[in-house]
Amino acid sequence: MTDGDWKIFIGSGKPHDGINRLPNPPPWRPFDTPVLKERQWPRNEEEDRLHSTERGRTFQADLRMVEAVNAALYLRRPLLITGKPGSGKSSLIEAVAFELRLGRVLRWPITSRSNLQQGLYHYDPIGRLQEAQLTKATPHIGNYLRLGPLGTALLPTGRPRALLIDEIDKADIDLPSDLLNVFEEGEFPIPELERLDIAEPVQIRAYSEEESFPITCGRVRCHQFPLVVLTSNGERDFPLPFLRRCLRLEVPDPDFALLAKIVASHLGENIANQANSVIDDFGKRRKGGELATDQLLNAVYLVIGRQDIPAEERQRLADLLLKELAAARLG
């Protein structure tokens, strides 16, 4: 990171605390909720690795990706990434979370049944009623509430969370519109708590974590707007108000040089230097149909990386591993 460089995320693949340089949000995006409880995030090299995936450590972000991520951080806006399957859309946020020490990425995989409520929180009234019947006492409501991935990302903490909303294409037609107010305000109510009018904070467990956080006045409002990345395969159109609230990035197919860097980052320079023929073959096949970058990595790992595979079998393996995805769907 050079002096005077505005970028917080630089795509170096090396963890740092540059997120502490993030300036205040624009005046039209104020988030000032007090931090009642701080969460834990990676603070050293050992914790960096524990909180990251292999994709987070090896992903190769190009300049357009780096600029888009930084714009999203500065403006406190979600980033909608569109690209073909296997183009690295969901890996980018892993790289950002690893480099900026944002902790584990919260993941919300979208299906046709996904709705806003699932993303925010879950309440189990039946379980609470059953306990009341067994104990003849009123169970604490906080024991039957749990935040969802989006709800957890909006907790007021000093360092923003990283949230992946994966394959938003699959969502019901209403979900993108339902997200608008949450993205705009950075907050949401929990009506079950609002109705009780409880003065003291209620401890609620976070998504995929055992840790609980205090919720006051039945509302969750962020202190730092999370880094939200939504991925799309480009299979549907989204409402204009939804698009207006997102920054948009289209991920093109990587060229030969970037493919070589990807192979080197995963398998080492030595194997990458021997993989030119497989990368060339991958590029030619990709012009005729859809192929994903992880298919290339699989092919290089076996065809080049395994010296115990007989030469006469290598081409057959390449043909097997580099089959077009469209053809596979038809089959």
Side-chain angles (χ1 to χ4, degrees):
M1 193 181 308
T2 60
D3 291 340
D5 190 349
W6 71 283
K7 301 182 189 70
I8 304 295
F9 170 65
I10 56 179
S12 67
K14 298 178 181 178
H16 57 80
D17 291 314
I19 192 66
N20 295 331
R21 296 193 299 113
L22 185 65
N24 292 331
W28 55 88
R29 299 282 289 161
F31 303 107
D32 53 3
T33 304
V35 178
L36 297 183
K37 179 181 179 180
E38 190 55 271
R39 68 183 180 90
Q40 296 298 311
W41 56 74
R43 300 175 188 273
N44 54 50
E45 184 175 345
E46 181 179 352
E47 291 183 4
D48 288 333
R49 298 189 69 84
L50 286 174
H51 283 77
S52 180
T53 65
E54 181 65 22
R55 288 178 296 175
R57 295 188 290 271
T58 59
F59 183 77
Q60 300 293 308
D62 63 25
L63 181 59
R64 290 175 63 251
M65 294 178 181
V66 170
E67 290 174 344
V69 167
N70 281 282
L73 288 170
Y74 271 75
L75 297 174
R76 277 64 168 184
R77 289 292 182 186
L79 178 60
L80 175 62
I81 304 179
T82 304
K84 295 179 180 178
S87 59
K89 302 185 299 298
S90 60
S91 299
L92 174 59
I93 193 170
E94 294 280 357
V96 179
F98 176 62
E99 182 179 317
L100 299 186
R101 291 181 169 152
L102 302 184
R104 288 189 179 89
V105 173
L106 297 165
R107 291 177 170 270
W108 184 12
I110 299 300
T111 70
S112 59
R113 296 180 298 277
S114 298
N115 58 57
L116 180 61
Q117 175 76 39
Q118 294 170 349
L120 295 176
Y121 74 96
H122 172 70
Y123 174 52
D124 181 11
I126 296 176
R128 190 178 184 219
L129 176 61
Q130 289 173 337
E131 182 176 340
Q133 292 171 338
L134 289 172
T135 63
K136 308 302 181 182
T138 302
H140 194 280
I141 190 172
N143 296 333
Y144 294 90
L145 285 164
R146 184 160 187 171
L147 295 173
L150 176 55
T152 298
L154 291 171
L155 284 169
T157 56
R159 186 169 295 201
R161 291 298 301 251
L163 169 66
L164 173 66
I165 303 179
D166 203 17
E167 298 195 345
I168 189 70
D169 306 74
K170 294 181 178 179
D172 177 82
I173 191 171
D174 292 328
L175 181 59
S177 297
D178 292 341
L179 288 167
L180 293 181
N181 190 63
V182 177
F183 284 168
E184 193 65 30
E185 303 300 330
E187 67 176 345
F188 66 95
I190 300 178
E192 292 82 358
L193 290 182
E194 283 188 316
R195 285 195 294 267
L196 296 178
D197 193 24
I198 302 175
E200 67 275 8
V202 176
Q203 299 288 331
I204 300 182
R205 200 147 50 115
Y207 178 76
S208 74
E209 300 171 4
E210 295 304 316
E211 195 172 10
S212 296
F213 289 82
I215 307 301
T216 57
C217 301
R219 298 189 75 83
V220 176
R221 178 174 170 82
C222 64
H223 175 80
Q224 291 278 10
F225 190 80
L227 173 63
V228 180
V229 170
L230 306 99
T231 67
S232 166
N233 294 329
E235 297 174 353
R236 63 177 282 187
D237 295 326
F238 296 105
L240 292 181
F242 173 78
L243 295 177
R244 182 172 64 83
R245 285 165 173 81
C246 297
L247 304 183
R248 286 169 283 162
L249 173 68
E250 293 187 10
V251 179
D253 290 331
D255 58 16
F256 181 93
L258 182 54
L259 288 171
K261 287 180 64 177
I262 292 171
V263 171
S265 69
H266 284 272
L267 301 173
E269 294 286 349
N270 184 44
I271 291 179
N273 291 336
Q274 303 175 55
N276 287 352
S277 61
V278 180
I279 297 175
D280 277 333
D281 187 21
F282 174 85
K284 292 174 183 176
R285 293 172 186 255
R286 191 176 59 187
K287 291 179 180 178
E290 293 183 13
L291 284 161
T293 306
D294 56 355
Q295 290 176 270
L296 171 64
L297 292 173
N298 291 333
V300 172
Y301 175 77
L302 281 182
V303 175
I304 304 298
R306 299 289 307 186
Q307 299 301 316
D308 54 344
I309 297 178
E312 63 272 13
E313 296 181 12
R314 295 178 187 272
Q315 185 58 50
R316 291 200 297 273
L317 281 171
D319 292 337
L320 171 69
L321 297 169
L322 298 179
K323 285 186 177 180
E324 298 172 12
L325 297 178
R329 285 202 300 265
L330 291 173

